[in-house]
Amino acid sequence: MKFDENSKILIVGLGLIGGTYARALTEKGYEVGAIDVDEKAIEYALSKGWIKSGQTQVDKDYVGKFDVIVFAVYPHVFIDWIEKYQSFIKDGALVTDVTGVKGSVVYMVQKLLRSDVEFVGAHPMAGREVSGVEHANPAIFKGANYIVVPTDKNTSEGIEACKALGKELGFAKISVLTPEQHDEMAGFLSHLTHCIAVSLMVCKDSTHLASYTGDSFRDLTRIAKINDDMWSELFLLNKDELIAQMNLFEEHFDALKKCIETDDRDSIREMMRISTARRRVFDKDAKEKQ
Amino acid sequence: MKFDENSKILIVGLGLIGGTYARALTEKGYEVGAIDVDEKAIEYALSKGWIKSGQTQVDKDYVGKFDVIVFAVYPHVFIDWIEKYQSFIKDGALVTDVTGVKGSVVYMVQKLLRSDVEFVGAHPMAGREVSGVEHANPAIFKGANYIVVPTDKNTSEGIEACKALGKELGFAKISVLTPEQHDEMAGFLSHLTHCIAVSLMVCKDSTHLASYTGDSFRDLTRIAKINDDMWSELFLLNKDELIAQMNLFEEHFDALKKCIETDDRDSIREMMRISTARRRVFDKDAKEKQ
């Protein structure tokens, strides 16, 4: 297990995130290769110089060259790949991923994987409402968080290597969480918010309102443009946690509704004061402009 | 009823929006005066040259000088003012406002007001998460919508004068809605979204999560920093419409939850596809960058 300036890095899945890993690491001087079923994605990244080599097939000799393999594919594709092709991976290689759910992925992959290859889960908390390698841009990692999600099967060497990768990618903050902590956090901050945004767009045909809207509605629904294939998989893989977070949200939304129904202005104002105080912490943290 | 380049304009309430009206109209060459209980607000605007005169008291001779009066105060303050001081208003003056609810304000004010003074309701759909005249800046009106909300008591001359004011203020789009249409639109686009943002911040102490959050949670809760005094008044003044919109949202949020609980991936994906298609219209409309 090692990760240093001579490490050769393979990206499996050359979309927005995989492409951004490739571009960032190539710019840092690493030798980067890629596998993607889409030949155009490979050709595009080659033409930009973001990868040194690329393949559309999973080839034993090609895979075996790399010291670090990053999976930037859907969770089920990642698990299938490990089941089918793990024998191709070099002895002592580091395997990591970018998956937005951890509990239902990390334990499974660690159980499946050969003992001489270490898998350390990671979640780069960055993205855009567009997909595809052509939008790859390391700027999306600046100011963002990179979360390493180890289990007790991981070595401190492996965890440090995964952290070092996050640093090389340009993330502002590297954190460590357990799979359970990660999924609670992602369930609340990411999956719940996407459920809210989707529900808000679905609940009526508001397109005729587009010309009346201020920033509030636009902000709340920016993430309602969503990759249904990927996000439906994430939602279901984090189902129990997400349902718990949805229930929690509904409980408080109902409490506010009850206050409005009963003209309980004091309680409405108290909720707003709590909300204002808590939200300020996020401003401070993000150094948002006033 | 007239509004032309010689109109003298009085702003009642020199906060963020009133201050921005004052600044924008002074820059356009109008003579602008202001009344605000806070002497510092008046002094600030005078020192910046955003008003030509200002008072902290409601003075008969002062009020009587103006051809147009804009109320940029809380709804109950506006109604109280009309009850107490309407005799001070010049014959034939135009009265307008910036209030975010219309049904419970417009009819009441029109009922109270002398017949020789015309009130045309308006709602400038612009704002920021800060308050106070010191943040007044006509840039917030650029690209924003100005909604004129007449009733059958209004004259076409009054409506045109109110529209012309919106144009002079620099709004990108001037629309006309009935009070009922306005309140349904505001209930959905603005009041409901603020309820969601507040509920999301209140539902758990998420401050320890600040360092993990991506843009989604920040976007959804930007408006959770909220002026509790003003917004609790707006919520209650638009209570019936807001409760209807909250119920509508909950119905669809529950439907999504049910799909997740029952692993009904096809239905989740269908909701996401509807949401994505509808949200694209808002992008196009706002010419958001991809």
Side-chain angles (χ1 to χ4, degrees):
Chain A
M1 171 61 43
K2 71 178 180 92
F3 174 64
D4 61 29
E5 68 274 20
N6 299 314
S7 294
K8 290 183 175 137
I9 302 166
L10 175 66
I11 312 293
V12 180
L14 209 54
L16 174 69
I17 299 296
T20 303
Y21 269 59
R23 185 173 170 186
L25 294 168
T26 295
E27 285 171 1
K28 280 275 181 175
Y30 293 93
E31 181 180 330
V32 179
I35 296 176
D36 195 289
V37 288
D38 180 6
E39 195 166 347
K40 279 183 196 149
I42 298 291
E43 278 169 9
Y44 187 88
L46 281 170
S47 76
K48 289 284 181 179
W50 297 344
I51 53 175
K52 199 183 165 189
S53 64
Q55 304 221 345
T56 55
Q57 305 288 326
V58 184
D59 179 79
K60 187 176 163 64
D61 292 337
Y62 185 65
V63 172
K65 288 202 314 180
F66 295 94
D67 307 294
V68 176
I69 307 185
V70 179
F71 286 87
V73 289
Y74 289 6
H76 77 276
V77 176
F78 176 27
I79 291 166
D80 284 355
W81 201 103
I82 293 295
E83 284 184 315
K84 278 191 205 157
Y85 306 116
Q86 62 167 300
S87 63
F88 299 178
I89 301 173
K90 189 176 180 175
D91 283 3
L94 172 69
V95 172
T96 186
D97 72 338
V98 306
T99 314
V101 284
K102 289 301 177 211
S104 51
V105 173
V106 173
Y107 297 115
M108 170 88 82
V109 171
Q110 288 188 339
K111 203 174 140 190
L112 289 170
L113 201 60
R114 288 154 44 195
S115 61
D116 63 318
V117 172
E118 182 167 353
F119 169 57
V120 187
H123 183 190
M125 298 279 288
R128 287 186 62 196
E129 284 65 61
V130 287
S131 55
V133 67
E134 63 272 24
H135 296 108
N137 189 340
I140 66 172
F141 294 161
K142 285 208 166 62
N145 294 293
Y146 179 87
I147 307 176
V148 179
V149 190
T151 69
D152 53 18
K153 281 201 169 183
N154 287 115
T155 63
S156 57
E157 201 187 357
I159 296 167
E160 289 311 311
C162 192
K163 283 186 185 174
L165 179 68
K167 244 182 197 162
E168 287 294 82
L169 288 163
F171 282 90
K173 192 179 168 185
I174 315 285
S175 325
V176 176
L177 289 177
T178 66
E180 293 72 24
Q181 287 170 331
H182 171 276
D183 286 355
E184 189 211 334
M185 178 277 294
F188 181 66
L189 294 177
S190 171
H191 306 160
L192 172 62
T193 51
H194 282 77
C195 284
I196 290 171
V198 168
S199 301
L200 205 42
M201 284 316 302
V202 168
C203 77
K204 62 171 142 179
D205 183 0
S206 49
T207 50
H208 64 289
L209 299 174
S211 59
Y212 299 112
T213 187
D215 291 336
S216 315
F217 189 79
R218 278 211 174 77
D219 279 3
L220 263 83
T221 57
R222 183 184 58 84
I223 55 176
K225 274 188 305 173
I226 189 167
N227 175 336
D228 58 283
D229 195 11
M230 182 177 83
W231 282 91
S232 59
E233 185 170 339
L234 291 178
F235 281 8
L236 292 177
L237 284 173
N238 200 25
K239 179 175 153 175
D240 293 346
E241 194 55 64
L242 176 55
I243 295 292
Q245 303 295 342
M246 289 178 93
N247 286 334
L248 183 73
F249 169 77
E250 269 188 318
E251 193 186 298
H252 291 267
F253 188 78
D254 272 334
L256 176 57
K257 193 172 74 176
K258 190 74 69 187
C259 294
I260 295 168
E261 274 170 338
T262 57
D263 290 298
D264 181 359
R265 193 169 172 197
D266 288 344
S267 299
I268 299 172
R269 294 187 62 177
E270 178 58 16
M271 285 180 82
M272 288 175 169
R273 281 192 292 263
I274 293 170
S275 129
T276 300
R278 286 192 183 156
R279 185 55 177 77
R280 284 214 180 98
V281 179
F282 284 77
D283 281 0
K284 211 174 139 190
D285 187 76
K287 293 188 181 75
E288 283 183 4
K289 270 170 265 161
Q290 278 300 313
Chain B
M1 169 62 44
K2 74 181 177 90
F3 173 64
D4 61 29
E5 67 277 17
N6 300 314
S7 294
K8 290 182 175 136
I9 302 165
L10 175 66
I11 311 293
V12 181
L14 209 53
L16 174 69
I17 298 296
T20 303
Y21 269 59
R23 185 173 170 187
L25 294 167
T26 294
E27 285 172 3
K28 280 274 180 176
Y30 293 92
E31 181 180 328
V32 179
I35 297 176
D36 195 290
V37 289
D38 180 7
E39 197 166 348
K40 278 182 198 151
I42 297 292
E43 280 169 8
Y44 187 89
L46 281 170
S47 75
K48 290 283 180 178
W50 296 345
I51 54 175
K52 198 184 166 188
S53 65
Q55 302 222 349
T56 56
Q57 304 289 327
V58 183
D59 179 80
K60 188 177 162 65
D61 292 338
Y62 185 65
V63 172
K65 287 200 317 178
F66 294 94
D67 308 293
V68 176
I69 308 186
V70 179
F71 286 87
V73 289
Y74 288 6
H76 76 277
V77 175
F78 176 28
I79 291 167
D80 284 355
W81 200 104
I82 294 295
E83 284 184 317
K84 278 191 203 154
Y85 305 118
Q86 61 168 299
S87 64
F88 298 178
I89 301 173
K90 188 176 180 175
D91 284 1
L94 171 69
V95 172
T96 186
D97 72 338
V98 305
T99 313
V101 284
K102 289 299 175 216
S104 52
V105 172
V106 173
Y107 297 116
M108 168 90 80
V109 171
Q110 288 188 339
K111 201 174 141 190
L112 289 169
L113 201 62
R114 290 153 44 195
S115 61
D116 63 319
V117 172
E118 182 167 353
F119 169 58
V120 187
H123 183 190
M125 298 279 288
R128 288 184 61 196
E129 283 65 60
V130 289
S131 55
V133 66
E134 63 272 27
H135 296 109
N137 189 341
I140 65 172
F141 294 162
K142 285 209 164 61
N145 294 293
Y146 178 87
I147 307 176
V148 179
V149 190
T151 70
D152 53 16
K153 280 200 168 182
N154 287 114
T155 64
S156 57
E157 202 187 356
I159 296 166
E160 289 310 312
C162 193
K163 282 187 187 176
L165 179 66
K167 246 183 195 160
E168 287 294 81
L169 288 163
F171 282 89
K173 191 178 169 183
I174 316 284
S175 326
V176 176
L177 290 179
T178 66
E180 293 73 23
Q181 288 170 329
H182 171 275
D183 287 354
E184 189 211 335
M185 178 276 294
F188 181 67
L189 294 177
S190 171
H191 305 162
L192 172 61
T193 50
H194 282 78
C195 284
I196 289 171
V198 167
S199 301
L200 206 41
M201 285 315 302
V202 168
C203 76
K204 63 171 143 181
D205 184 359
S206 50
T207 49
H208 64 290
L209 299 175
S211 59
Y212 298 111
T213 186
D215 290 337
S216 314
F217 189 80
R218 279 210 173 77
D219 279 4
L220 262 84
T221 57
R222 183 183 58 83
I223 56 177
K225 274 189 304 175
I226 189 166
N227 176 335
D228 58 282
D229 195 12
M230 182 176 85
W231 282 91
S232 59
E233 186 170 338
L234 291 178
F235 280 8
L236 293 177
L237 284 173
N238 200 25
K239 179 173 150 173
D240 293 346
E241 193 55 63
L242 176 54
I243 295 292
Q245 304 294 342
M246 289 178 91
N247 286 335
L248 183 71
F249 169 76
E250 269 188 318
E251 194 185 298
H252 291 267
F253 188 78
D254 273 334
L256 177 55
K257 193 171 75 175
K258 190 72 71 189
C259 295
I260 295 168
E261 275 170 337
T262 57
D263 291 297
D264 181 359
R265 193 167 172 196
D266 287 345
S267 300
I268 300 172
R269 294 187 62 175
E270 179 59 19
M271 286 180 82
M272 288 177 170
R273 280 191 293 262
I274 293 170
S275 128
T276 300
R278 286 191 182 156
R279 185 54 177 77
R280 285 217 179 95
V281 179
F282 284 76
D283 281 359
K284 210 173 138 190
D285 188 76
K287 293 189 182 75
E288 283 181 4
K289 271 168 264 159
Q290 279 299 312

